[in-house]
Amino acid sequence: MQTTSSDLPNGRQRPAEGLKPRLRRRLALLIACSLAFVFALSAAYVIANVLRARSDEIERLRAASSLLSQALDREVARSHALLIGLEHSPALQAHDIRAFQQQMASTKVPDGAWLTLSDREKLVAHSLRPFGSPLPTLADFKPQPAFFERIDQLDVSLTGRVLGVTLDKTAVAVNMKVRDADGSWAYFLTTVLSDQRFASILKDQRMPAKVTAGIYDHNLHGVVAMRGKEVFIAPVMAPAASSALRAESAAAGLISAADAEGHRSLLAYARSDATHWVSMVASRQNDLDAPVHRALKTLALAGVLMGFAGFAAWRNLRREIEPPIDQLERNIATADATVKQLTGRLLQAQEDEHQRIARELHDSTAQHLVGAMLGVVHLERTLPSDNADRSVLKDVKTSVESALNELRTFTLLLHPRDLGESGLAHALTDFVQGFLRRAGLRGTVSVDEAADSLPFELQRSLLRIAQAALANVYRHAKATQVRVSLEINAQHIVLSVDDDGLGGRRQSGSDQGHGVGIPSMQGRLIPFGGELKLEITASGTSVRAIVPRPVAG
């Protein structure tokens, strides 16, 4: 089924008073979107850079722990190489302890390190003590469990951090057994690395700022640590960190745990394959996240400043744009008033012309037709009943009667009764019923009684719109049934005229059939802010005039 539905333009203008608020909203939205876009790009760039810097800092922690582990391995390897050289000393091979002690004393070792020779019970020579000086027994050092087993099994072994009885210093011993010709051993050589030596190793590393670097033995007992330039005895590792390290099988990695002081930290560790000692570089989460927090605060401040800047720009643009808008609104209001005035004059002129034509038709053309009808009746009476011309006179009489009937219908459509004192409800009902009777159509009319309380000019316009719509039905639709209704709700007044005429079966270009009726109806809606809707289907045509209901009072 073909359907054509359209909202016909009626010349209405948007209310002038709504132009500035809409402009302000759109201008504010444009500025807000622009600032939000710039802020989002800037924030993304800043946050990406900060996160990249944080990632780089974590990689520096990894690198620092690895370099520290490598430095420790090199120190142990250097100590081992030194002991290998002393192992083949002729004095040691000949068991000449005095001569070997002098050789140890003259051997160059790093600052904070010294050499000792021990048997299974006691120290027998010390590079920093003259030969024959009292030396402690091994029991005085309180050796760790499996001390001798480690010497037996390993080419080189490290002790944990112990107190050196001879010099009253804490230190770590790098031990190597001295093999006899039969493969057994009676002595072991030791390079003793004091806290001073480990501090020197730590200071040689370029540590990132605000980190704590530490060295732990194979039992994860602290040896030495450094934060900034301060070197101190490594604290006992926090249980959570210790458990996490013991659970890790990788040689290097990252763990997140509390440090010895209870601060949440990120710990980068590297475990030596040679010594199984752990080098650790830790940074507190607060220090790692501080740049991110600063960036977020800066972005928040920048967002507030951009908001103020956007508001100031909006105010300035308003001052620049609104004066021309005010002038435009005044021009629109003037043009709107002029259009309404001209429309009113045009409609009044049209109505006056319709009244003039209706009077001419009634007073002149209708009288001529009545005269013609009287002549036909006279001739009909004078002719014999069997005269062949009587059929011609009958046809002429029928044509004159049809012409008179159409003339009266057109006269009614051109100049219907006015509202008078009866109101719109009675006037519209009476007009539609009279039209249906004269046009020979079936139909219904339904009018809300509240129509009589509408403003007088609106009532008259609705009556004239109904008149124009029914005129179109009579002239063009070839309808057999018409339905007219006037409904009033809380928001709108709706006048509907529906017919079952040609509708969508009209030929293309049928808009010409509307004549001046449609523009006339549109013109009557302009002063009231209404709109006209026309819907054409295969089953007929529907015309609806929709007007906002006037506010009471």
Side-chain angles (χ1 to χ4, degrees):
M1 179 176 67
Q2 178 183 6
T3 301
T4 303
S5 179
S6 60
D7 294 343
L8 298 174
N10 55 25
R12 289 191 302 119
Q13 304 289 337
R14 288 182 179 269
E17 63 272 13
L19 185 58
K20 282 202 296 185
R22 288 197 303 273
L23 179 64
R24 289 171 184 169
R25 288 194 299 271
R26 291 177 182 178
L27 187 60
L29 181 62
L30 176 63
I31 293 175
C33 290
S34 301
L35 290 178
F37 179 73
V38 173
F39 179 78
L41 286 182
S42 303
Y45 177 77
V46 170
I47 292 176
N49 283 340
V50 170
L51 293 178
R52 189 182 303 112
R54 187 180 186 275
S55 179
D56 292 344
E57 184 67 19
I58 292 174
E59 288 304 314
R60 282 193 287 271
L61 292 180
R62 289 177 180 268
S65 65
S66 178
L67 290 174
L68 179 57
S69 180
Q70 293 172 22
L72 180 61
D73 284 348
R74 285 195 299 272
E75 186 67 25
V76 172
R78 186 184 301 113
S79 300
H80 187 208
L82 181 62
L83 296 180
I84 290 175
L86 290 174
E87 179 187 17
H88 299 288
S89 168
L92 182 59
Q93 295 295 323
H95 297 282
D96 186 350
I97 304 304
R98 178 188 295 274
F100 185 70
Q101 189 277 333
Q102 292 175 354
Q103 183 181 357
M104 285 196 305
S106 62
T107 300
K108 186 177 181 181
V109 295
D111 293 339
W114 59 87
L115 303 170
T116 64
L117 177 67
S118 307
D119 59 21
R120 292 180 179 270
E121 295 182 357
K122 62 184 182 304
L123 267 63
V124 295
H126 196 296
S127 64
L128 300 182
R129 288 288 182 268
F131 182 76
S133 300
L135 295 175
T137 65
L138 293 183
D140 294 332
F141 292 100
K142 299 179 180 178
Q144 297 173 343
F147 173 77
F148 288 109
E149 286 81 353
R150 289 177 62 81
I151 293 178
D152 277 332
Q153 295 170 2
L154 303 175
D155 291 334
V156 59
S157 64
L158 273 70
T159 67
R161 183 171 173 275
V162 296
L163 176 63
V165 179
T166 308
L167 299 179
D168 195 25
K169 293 181 179 180
T170 54
V172 171
V174 181
N175 302 310
M176 187 191 75
K177 55 184 174 287
V178 179
R179 296 181 182 274
D180 293 333
D182 59 0
S184 62
W185 63 274
Y187 298 102
F188 63 88
L189 286 166
T190 301
T191 300
V192 181
L193 304 176
S194 67
D195 294 343
Q196 177 187 355
R197 181 59 193 152
F198 282 106
S200 178
I201 295 172
L202 283 172
K203 289 178 179 179
D204 288 341
Q205 308 303 308
R206 293 184 178 179
M207 293 293 171
K210 295 184 178 180
V211 303
T212 300
I215 299 174
Y216 293 82
D217 65 17
H218 58 276
N219 289 319
L220 298 183
H221 296 156
V223 177
V224 68
M226 178 179 71
R227 184 174 179 85
K229 295 183 179 181
E230 179 188 2
V231 179
F232 50 91
I233 303 302
V236 176
M237 189 177 295
S242 176
S243 299
L245 269 176
R246 293 182 191 279
E248 290 287 342
S249 59
L254 291 170
I255 60 173
S256 179
D259 61 13
E261 298 177 8
H263 299 286
R264 194 71 183 174
S265 302
L266 187 65
L267 314 175
Y269 71 90
R271 185 180 284 113
S272 169
D273 291 336
T275 64
H276 300 289
W277 281 30
V278 175
S279 299
M280 185 176 294
V281 180
S283 179
R284 293 176 181 172
Q285 288 287 0
N286 288 342
D287 293 335
L288 279 175
D289 296 338
V292 178
H293 295 158
R294 285 196 298 270
L296 293 177
K297 291 179 181 178
T298 301
L299 287 174
L301 178 60
V304 172
L305 294 178
M306 289 180 71
F308 281 117
F311 179 74
W314 177 68
R315 291 285 299 273
N316 289 335
L317 285 174
R318 277 183 53 193
R319 293 192 186 101
E320 293 292 330
I321 293 176
E322 287 191 0
I325 296 299
D326 291 337
Q327 182 61 44
L328 177 61
E329 288 180 341
R330 288 191 290 270
N331 293 342
I332 290 174
T334 301
D336 189 56
T338 302
V339 168
K340 289 179 179 179
Q341 184 179 17
L342 291 175
T343 301
R345 291 180 180 177
L346 176 62
L347 293 174
Q348 185 60 47
Q350 184 185 57
E351 188 162 337
D352 293 342
E353 181 65 14
H354 285 176
Q355 291 178 2
R356 186 189 66 78
I357 294 173
R359 283 194 299 270
E360 290 292 333
L361 290 174
H362 181 272
D363 296 341
S364 178
T365 306
Q367 301 306 318
H368 289 306
L369 288 174
V370 169
M373 175 63 74
L374 292 174
V376 169
V377 171
H378 176 73
L379 287 174
E380 188 178 29
R381 289 175 179 174
T382 60
L383 288 176
S385 59
D386 58 349
N387 193 304
D389 292 332
R390 290 182 67 86
S391 61
V392 176
L393 287 176
K394 184 177 180 181
D395 292 340
V396 172
K397 181 180 178 182
T398 301
S399 297
V400 172
E401 287 177 346
S402 297
L404 274 172
N405 188 46
E406 288 185 4
L407 184 64
R408 292 189 182 102
T409 302
F410 277 122
T411 302
L412 174 68
L413 291 172
L414 286 173
H415 184 46
R417 61 174 292 178
D418 210 340
L419 292 172
E421 297 180 356
S422 61
L424 178 61
H426 182 270
L428 180 58
T429 301
D430 186 59
F431 168 71
V432 173
Q433 290 175 345
F435 167 78
L436 295 175
R437 185 171 57 255
R438 286 181 172 83
L441 301 176
R442 300 190 310 275
T444 60
V445 58
S446 172
V447 182
D448 194 317
E449 293 298 330
D452 292 341
S453 63
L454 298 176
F456 179 79
E457 291 298 327
L458 178 56
Q459 290 187 48
R460 188 168 69 172
S461 293
L462 290 172
L463 180 61
R464 295 295 182 252
I465 291 171
Q467 167 199 346
L470 290 174
N472 276 344
V473 171
Y474 184 75
R475 292 168 184 164
H476 311 295
K478 297 183 179 180
T480 61
Q481 188 167 353
V482 179
R483 184 172 64 85
V484 179
S485 66
L486 180 63
E487 301 174 353
I488 301 176
N489 57 41
Q491 287 81 32
H492 297 97
I493 302 163
V494 182
L495 172 64
S496 302
V497 179
D498 304 304
D499 67 67
D500 63 349
L502 293 177
R505 292 167 288 172
R506 297 181 188 179
Q507 297 178 354
S508 60
S510 61
D511 287 346
Q512 296 175 355
H514 296 153
V516 296
I518 295 298
S520 172
M521 288 185 275
Q522 292 170 337
R524 292 190 181 278
L525 291 172
I526 288 176
F528 310 102
E531 60 180 338
L532 189 69
K533 292 188 175 183
L534 177 65
E535 184 176 357
I536 302 175
T537 67
S539 59
T541 303
S542 174
V543 177
R544 280 177 175 74
I546 304 172
V547 182
R549 184 171 183 175
V551 179

